[in-house]
């Protein structure tokens, strides 16, 4: 009996001691959960059916299809299969350091080097990106990740091979060399030209005539259509950086 009295006394003392703290902890927990729900958590993510891109303060686009083209193959990736968004300055950190976010992999300037560069990203209309790829990448098992402003967009759908009629795709203003790319009649040197386009603008004009590009009429349209670059990332990923986007450690 004496032992039971001691146990009850200890339990009562513990409830008195920890009761207020427990009462205080519950609202804090509720606030944390509320922040997660209303999108204020620093690791909050969301899902979309398109990729909303900002090209300038007055120019935006909603990407529904990513077209990746080599000299002989066309790959399509559809955003309506789902796009996971992480918005925590994962690319444009301005020197603040990489935030781990929800995923194990974060990205910095080492992932966006010339050695990893695999192609040029063109805007095709208001809802498509066309990537002219260098080399003969086989992309069926790759994941496409797009970086724009402070956001990282992970497209759930994987690239699929498809031979699409050229008239079903905006042809970047009817530029002859792009039309040849869409028809898979482009020469290897033309593919190299498009894949490296705007890497060295001074050399572009010199190379253009060698691959049959009309410098006076086609070059300005090509330059206006370029919106970024694509990089070969780790774990079978294509990292697409669309302006405006700054990479950690980049001087831009």
């Amino acid at each position: 009996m004496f032992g039971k009295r001691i146990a009850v006394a200890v339990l009562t003392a513990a409830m008195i001691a920890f009761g207020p703290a427990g009462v205080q902890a519950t609202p804090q927990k509720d606030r944390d959960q509320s922040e997660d729900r209303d999108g204020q958590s620093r690791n909050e993510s969301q899902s979309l059916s398109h990729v909303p891109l900002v090209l300038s303060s007055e120019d935006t686009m909603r990407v529904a299809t990513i077209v990746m083209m080599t000299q002989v193959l066309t790959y399509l990736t559809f955003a309506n299969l789902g796009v996971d968004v992480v918005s925590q300055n994962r690319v444009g950190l301005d020197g603040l350091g990489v935030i781990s976010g929800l995923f194990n992999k974060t990205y910095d300037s080492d992932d966006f080097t010339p050695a990893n560069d695999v192609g040029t990203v063109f805007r095709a209309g208001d809802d498509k990106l066309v990537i002219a790829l260098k080399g003969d990448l086989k992309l069926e098992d790759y994941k496409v990740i797009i970086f724009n402003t402070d956001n990282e967009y992970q497209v759930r759908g994987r690239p699929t091979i498809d031979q699409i009629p050229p008239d079903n795709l905006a042809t970047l203003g009817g530029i002859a060399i792009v039309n040849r790319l869409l028809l898979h009649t482009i020469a290897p040197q033309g593919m190299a030209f498009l894949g490296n386009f705007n890497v060295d603008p001074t050399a572009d004009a010199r190379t253009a005539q060698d691959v049959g590009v009309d410098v006076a009429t086609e070059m300005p349209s090509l330059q206006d259509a370029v919106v970024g670059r694509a990089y070969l990332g780790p774990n079978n990923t294509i990292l697409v950086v669309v302006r405006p986007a700054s990479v950690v450690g980049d001087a831009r």
Side-chain angles (χ1 to χ4, degrees), residues 125-193:
D126 292 325
D127 64 348
K128 297 180 182 69
L129 293 179
V130 175
I131 305 175
L133 291 165
K134 299 181 284 187
D136 295 318
L137 291 172
K138 308 301 182 185
L139 301 176
E140 291 90 339
D141 297 325
Y142 277 70
K143 184 172 187 176
V144 178
I145 302 175
I146 299 176
F147 301 93
N148 177 247
T149 63
D150 292 335
N151 297 331
E152 175 184 323
Y153 301 96
Q154 300 198 13
V155 183
R156 293 179 193 168
R158 295 296 192 267
T160 57
I161 296 177
D162 197 352
Q163 299 300 322
I164 57 175
D167 56 0
N168 287 354
L169 187 69
T171 57
L172 306 182
I175 300 168
I177 192 170
V178 177
N179 291 337
R180 295 201 300 274
L181 172 60
L182 295 173
L183 290 168
H184 300 298
T185 60
I186 190 171
Q189 59 268 32
M191 190 72 243
F193 171 74

Side-chain angles (χ1 to χ4, degrees), residues 48-82:
L48 301 173
S49 59
H50 65 279
V51 181
L53 298 182
V54 177
L55 304 181
S56 71
S57 59
E58 299 178 351
D59 188 7
T60 62
M61 61 185 300
R62 293 162 63 96
V63 175
T65 309
I66 300 102
V67 184
M68 293 179 285
M69 307 190 75
T70 67
Q71 185 177 354
V72 295
L73 292 176
T74 299
Y75 292 89
L76 301 182
T77 303
F78 298 102
N80 64 4
L81 298 177

